[in-house]
């Protein structure tokens, strides 16, 4: 009968619905269990400076806060360093090289703060990171490094001297005998201070004479060194060269069995990760690296690359050294993505999109063939899950990193449409797909929205905010002179305003800000990109500036004219985004100056004030213009 429903069909429908709900609940429970497993920290052997009870365990030594900060423009505040150090501890690195204490009073204070705080924050499993300070091979440096780190539960001093012929002759102007004597005295002095964890590095070991390395390393072991770090300082070695060097050192250095061999590989030829892993294959049991691979010149071995390589291949591709060859670390990789983003935000150094593990495109797929495979089985094109490194993809991008762009296929488009509730027949899907292709040819970047990440980056620049832009208006055009009126809230709680002219609206805004804040700086870098597409897209601006002569910084001996400060800002208005980025960089410069004035006993200038007047109750007027 028309309109009637079969009882049997209704019963089958109810059973099917109940079964689907049960399956959904089971899937959610399984997903929750999988996430909980991801956050579990792997057990590690007890910490002994010169010995690892399990010969398969590899210590991870992070030098993001020391070598990483040496990247041009990567200046970090003390609070930013502390937050990064806490994130590194959550990640589970064995050793944090917190800085170079002798470099400046601020560096000393930052290292000491990390040692006193992070170096004593013991996790539930008993883990607490070793806190290390770098020093040259002289007593003043070593004393300073020890004073900075000795408050940690596990303090370490890392001292070094160059051993290659070119360094000894042209940089140090020392003979090999003198270099050996300096190295031995340095290690002995560190031990005499009560430091039982001393790391020694023969700088530029990758280009040093192996016979000389055997000699100097044997003598520093006898003097009390517990870790021997072998740096490929210029990124010169091939993986088989560097791995062979580690093997020869372990075989020929007297007392090698009583120390830990370590690697420190630069990335000048793009081989830092490969060389580090070659070192591990040949017996190195400490690998030095940085988050996102940042560092001097082309950077260092990337922590995320080294650790995930060991996580995926460590139990089968590293036989030949000590132990069973099933290498592992205690890194909790689920914290890799958050740590990477934090370092990127605070240093202002964005990862290239195709950077392994943490790049924006590392888990995205636009090729139609790849998308089809990902929809059917994610293992077809992904050797690890984004969730395993802390990138919770969830149901976005079809749960498979699908970016709908001009290379996408019909299956990907149809899958996305069904997820959104559109169950189209073949003809309608074909029509939609044809139109989609036409639009995708003109629109770059796919359909994913990255506005939230841009706002996070914007907020990262507000740490220790002294000056804040509270009002901004610009007038520009083909016939007029670009003019900007800027109102800012200062550290004294007073709003000040200034009008200025420039070659364009952004230049006028920057000149007005300079007048209000009272600084003289050079704009070294200005860059802007659209976070998303469309008229309402956010603009993300990044600037790098440095102090110059002609302002309050000119007579301040504490300001290095070579120091650079970066800032980022985001807004739908490109002029406002530019103003926020510039102000963020100026705030970093002013805070840096104030800390040094305080440390040197000088009167602290609380943020400087230029030639601007306070905003009164009456309508504002132009104070100055140029």
């Amino acid at each position: 009968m028309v309109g009637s429903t079969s009882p049997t069909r209704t019963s089958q429908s109810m059973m099917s619905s109940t079964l689907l709900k049960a399956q959904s609940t089971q899937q959610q429970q399984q997903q929750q269990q999988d996430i909980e497993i991801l956050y579990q920290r792997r057990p590690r052997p007890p910490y002994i400076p010169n010995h690892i009870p399990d010969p398969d365990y590899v210590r991870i030594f992070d030098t993001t806060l020391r070598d990483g900060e040496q990247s041009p423009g990567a200046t970090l505040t003390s609070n930013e360093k502390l937050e990064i150090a806490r994130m590194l501890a959550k990640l589970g690195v064995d050793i944090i090289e917190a800085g170079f204490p002798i470099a400046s009073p601020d560096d000393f204070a930052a290292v000491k703060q990390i040692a006193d705080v992070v170096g004593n924050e013991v996790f539930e499993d008993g883990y607490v990171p070793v806190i290390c300070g770098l020093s040259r091979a002289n007593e003043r440096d070593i004393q300073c490094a020890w004073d900075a780190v000795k408050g940690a539960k596990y303090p370490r001093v890392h001292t070094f001297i160059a051993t290659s012929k070119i360094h000894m002759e042209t940089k140090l102007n020392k003979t090999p005998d003198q270099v050996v004597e300096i190295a031995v005295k340095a290690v002995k002095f560190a031990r005499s201070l009560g430091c039982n964890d001393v790391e020694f590095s023969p700088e530029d070991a990758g280009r040093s004479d192996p016979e000389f390395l055997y000699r100097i390393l044997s003598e520093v072991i006898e003097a009390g060194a517990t870790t021997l770090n072998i740096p490929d300082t210029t990124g010169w070695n091939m993986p088989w060269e560097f791995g062979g060097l580690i093997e020869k050192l372990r075989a020929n250095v007297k007392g090698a069995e009583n120390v830990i061999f370590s690697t420190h590989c630069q990335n000048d030829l793009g081989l830092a990760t490969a060389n580090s892993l070659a070192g591990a294959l040949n017996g190195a049991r400490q690998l030095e690296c940085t988050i996102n691979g940042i560092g001097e010149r082309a950077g260092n071995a990337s922590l995320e690359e080294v650790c995930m390589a060991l996580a995926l291949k460590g139990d089968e591709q590293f036989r030949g050294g000590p132990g069973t060859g099933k290498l592992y670390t205690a890194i909790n990789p689920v914290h890799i993505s958050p740590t990477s983003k934090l370092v990127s935000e605070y240093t202002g150094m964005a990862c290239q999109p195709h950077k392994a593990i943490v790049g924006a495109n590392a888990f995205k797929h636009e090729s139609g063939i790849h998308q089809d495979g990902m929809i059917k089985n994610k293992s077809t094109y992904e050797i690890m899950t984004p969730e395993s490194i802390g990138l919770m993809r969830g149901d976005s991008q079809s749960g498979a990193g699908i970016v709908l762009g001009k290379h996408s296929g019909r299956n990907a488009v149809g899958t996305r449409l069904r997820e959104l509730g559109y169950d189209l027949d073949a003809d309608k899907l074909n029509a939609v797909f044809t139109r989609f292709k036409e639009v995708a040819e003109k629109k770059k970047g796919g359909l994913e929205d990255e506005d939230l990440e841009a706002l996070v980056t914007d907020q990262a620049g507000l740490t220790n905010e002294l000056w804040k832009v509270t009002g901004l208006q610009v007038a520009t055009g083909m016939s007029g002179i670009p003019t900007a009126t800027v109102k800012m809230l200062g550290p004294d709680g007073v709003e000040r305003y200034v009008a200025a002219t420039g070659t364009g609206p952004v230049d006028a805004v920057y000149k007005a800000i300079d007048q209000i804040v009272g600084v003289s700086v050079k704009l070294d870098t200005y860059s802007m990109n659209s976070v998303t597409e469309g008229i309402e897209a956010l603009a993300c601006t990044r600037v790098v500036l440095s102090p110059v002569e002609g302002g309050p910084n000119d007579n301040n001996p504490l300001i290095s004219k070579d120091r650079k400060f970066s800032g980022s800002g985001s807004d739908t208005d490109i002029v406002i985004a530019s103003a926020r980025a510039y102000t963020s960089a100026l705030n970093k410069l002013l805070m840096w100056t104030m800390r040094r004035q305080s440390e040197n006993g000088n009167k602290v200038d609380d943020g400087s004030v230029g030639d601007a007047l306070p905003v009164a109750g009456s309508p504002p007027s132009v104070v100055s213009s140029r």
Side-chain angles (χ1 to χ4, degrees), residues 606-626:
D606 59 349
S608 184
V609 174
D611 58 339
L613 293 181
V615 176
S618 57
S621 60
V622 175
V623 175
S624 64
S625 62
R626 50 173 164 158

Side-chain angles (χ1 to χ4, degrees), residues 206-288:
R207 296 190 296 174
S208 297
D209 177 12
E211 293 294 332
F212 181 59
L213 288 178
Y214 303 157
R215 176 190 171 192
I216 191 171
L217 294 178
S218 297
E219 297 208 25
V220 295
I221 290 176
E222 186 176 353
T226 52
T227 298
L228 299 182
N229 180 50
I230 310 304
D232 182 20
T233 304
T234 60
W236 172 252
N237 294 132
M238 295 291 107
W240 48 91
E241 283 183 286
F242 191 73
L245 176 61
I246 297 295
E247 182 181 27
K248 287 188 289 186
L249 292 177
R250 291 182 57 245
N252 293 283
V253 171
K254 296 178 182 178
E257 68 280 3
N258 299 319
V259 295
I260 307 298
F261 277 86
S262 170
T263 69
H264 181 105
C265 300
Q266 299 293 135
N267 204 39
D268 297 70
L269 291 176
L271 296 171
T273 296
N275 283 342
S276 298
L277 295 173
L281 174 64
N282 287 277
R285 288 299 178 263
Q286 176 181 288
L287 305 181
E288 301 197 357

Side-chain angles (χ1 to χ4, degrees), residues 480-497:
I481 299 175
T483 305
T485 302
V486 178
K487 183 167 64 173
M488 301 184 74
L489 181 66
D492 55 1
V494 177
E495 282 190 325
R496 293 174 172 82
Y497 61 100

Side-chain angles (χ1 to χ4, degrees), residues 142-219:
I142 294 168
Q143 181 72 62
C144 183
W146 174 244
D147 289 342
V149 301
K150 64 183 179 182
K153 183 176 181 181
Y154 296 120
R156 175 186 289 191
V157 170
H158 179 191
T159 188
F160 69 96
I161 190 169
T163 55
S164 66
K165 182 178 180 181
I166 187 171
H167 277 251
M168 289 190 292
E169 291 180 355
T170 63
K171 186 180 77 172
L172 300 179
N173 195 25
K174 301 288 185 185
T175 66
D177 288 344
Q178 289 174 317
V179 169
V180 171
E181 182 182 2
I182 292 170
V184 169
K185 284 184 177 180
V187 173
K188 285 184 176 180
F189 181 70
R191 292 302 297 255
S192 73
L193 297 175
C195 179
N196 66 353
D197 192 353
V198 179
E199 177 172 336
F200 174 77
S201 290
E203 186 187 7
D204 203 21
R207 296 190 296 174
S208 297
D209 177 12
E211 293 294 332
F212 181 59
L213 288 178
Y214 303 157
R215 176 190 171 192
I216 191 171
L217 294 178
S218 297
E219 297 208 25

Side-chain angles (χ1 to χ4, degrees), residues 407-420:
H407 301 294
S408 298
R410 184 178 283 99
N411 189 11
V413 175
T415 299
R416 174 65 66 82
L417 287 171
R418 285 192 295 273
E419 291 170 352
L420 297 174

Side-chain angles (χ1 to χ4, degrees), residues 135 203 443 499 576:
S135 73
E203 186 187 7
K443 189 174 183 179
I576 295 176

Side-chain angles (χ1 to χ4, degrees), residues 479-517:
S479 58
I481 299 175
T483 305
T485 302
V486 178
K487 183 167 64 173
M488 301 184 74
L489 181 66
D492 55 1
V494 177
E495 282 190 325
R496 293 174 172 82
Y497 61 100
V498 147
T501 60
T503 57
V506 173
D507 183 52
V509 167
Y510 285 3
K511 287 178 178 176
I513 292 174
D514 287 348
Q515 290 183 58
I516 293 176
V517 178

